[in-house]
Amino acid sequence: MNLIFLGPPGVGKGTHAKQLSKLLDIPQISTGDMLRASIKAGTPLGMKAKEFIDKGALVPDQVVIDMVKERIKEVDCAKGFILDGFPRTVPQAQALSEFTKIDAVVDLVARESVIMANLSGRRVCRDCAATYHIRRLNGATKCASCGGDLIHRVDDQIDTIKHRLEVYRVQTEPLITFYRDAGLLLEVVVESGIDEDFLLVRKALEL
Ligand code: AMP
């Protein structure tokens, strides 16, 4: 099953994509995580991407298109994959349709106040990229799975969040119409808590 998780930054795409990845035993492919790994590794691609990411802007289409095109050729994608954070523009979606077939697009929806609270309280492990929310951390500063330091992403600071949401509205929201017209869109409102919301995602996908 080849799936896309669509929705604004902070709506919970990564959280639900990870759970679904375990359930279906197919990989979650997060272009944001891949770009951050390139930054950490200090590759030329990472250095170039960092300029865009830190500002809350999108990296150029061709960079992420090439990345995803190569990634889904890997053997772990044979049974399917979950794209999380890709595509983010209409040209990315058009390019994707030229090299793979998508079975469904889960569009996660929440009010802006919920999204702002999710993003501003998000903490990420510097080492393994696991994500947490301060609501559930009880003051912990280390990752529960690997012991790494938990950090507040530069692009999760309030001014950059506002810019990322504006970028989403202008550049990514047109994909809702794109995939609705293609008959692939499943809308899920995710405002009830992680476990309840995940059940809604499963229901939408009839899983
Ligand atoms: P995310 O972790 O998905 O919120 O992505 C963090 C940042 O990585 C975004 O704000 C963009 O700068 C960049 N990024 C991730 N995915 C894409 C994409 N599909 N197209 C362009 N930029 C992306």
Side-chain angles (χ1 to χ4, degrees):
M1 198 180 215
N2 299 343
L3 300 172
I4 293 173
F5 270 49
L6 192 63
V11 77
K13 296 188 296 296
T15 302
H16 295 303
K18 274 193 193 86
Q19 296 199 67
L20 197 62
S21 153
K22 279 196 199 120
L23 184 77
L24 298 178
D25 194 25
I26 56 176
Q28 168 218 14
I29 300 176
S30 156
T31 41
D33 283 351
M34 290 168 88
L35 291 166
R36 281 185 290 276
S38 304
I39 294 174
K40 203 171 157 207
T43 66
L45 186 149
M47 293 302 98
K48 187 177 171 204
K50 187 174 185 329
E51 293 169 30
F52 296 92
I53 293 179
D54 284 354
K55 285 190 299 204
L58 295 184
V59 306
D61 284 336
Q62 204 55 48
V63 172
V64 278
I65 290 168
D66 291 346
M67 230 165 60
V68 171
K69 192 172 178 181
E70 288 310 304
R71 177 65 185 88
I72 66 173
K73 285 182 193 160
E74 287 178 31
V75 61
D76 63 335
C77 295
K79 277 198 306 173
F81 50 79
I82 304 168
L83 294 175
D84 157 13
F86 180 93
R88 257 177 159 99
T89 65
V90 171
Q92 289 179 24
Q94 283 163 339
L96 180 68
S97 70
E98 281 160 24
F99 59 80
T100 197
K101 185 181 163 298
I102 295 299
D103 298 302
V105 177
V106 179
D107 178 31
L108 300 181
V109 182
R111 276 166 298 160
E112 189 159 317
S113 55
V114 175
I115 289 166
M116 293 296 279
N118 286 350
L119 283 175
S120 57
R122 179 159 73 178
R123 296 293 179 271
V124 183
C125 175
R126 195 198 295 278
D127 295 332
C128 75
T131 56
Y132 299 87
H133 194 280
I134 49 174
R135 274 192 295 260
R136 293 171 159 227
L137 276 173
N138 297 323
T141 56
K142 300 283 182 193
C143 175
S145 44
C146 80
D149 288 331
L150 299 183
I151 56 165
H152 195 190
R153 272 168 49 178
V154 175
D155 60 341
D156 279 349
Q157 318 284 335
I158 202 83
D159 286 342
T160 317
I161 290 175
K162 286 188 185 148
H163 182 58
R164 287 167 69 204
L165 289 174
E166 183 58 21
V167 167
Y168 171 78
R169 253 176 244 117
V170 175
Q171 303 200 60
T172 309
E173 231 170 38
L175 292 181
I176 295 175
T177 308
F178 182 94
Y179 285 119
R180 186 179 288 125
D181 291 350
L184 294 175
L185 199 79
L186 303 169
E187 195 180 279
V188 182
V189 177
V190 281
E191 295 193 342
S192 311
I194 294 177
D195 297 338
E196 295 89 332
D197 292 343
F198 186 58
L199 289 177
L200 297 175
V201 169
R202 288 183 63 171
K203 194 169 164 212
L205 287 164
E206 297 176 13
L207 290 169

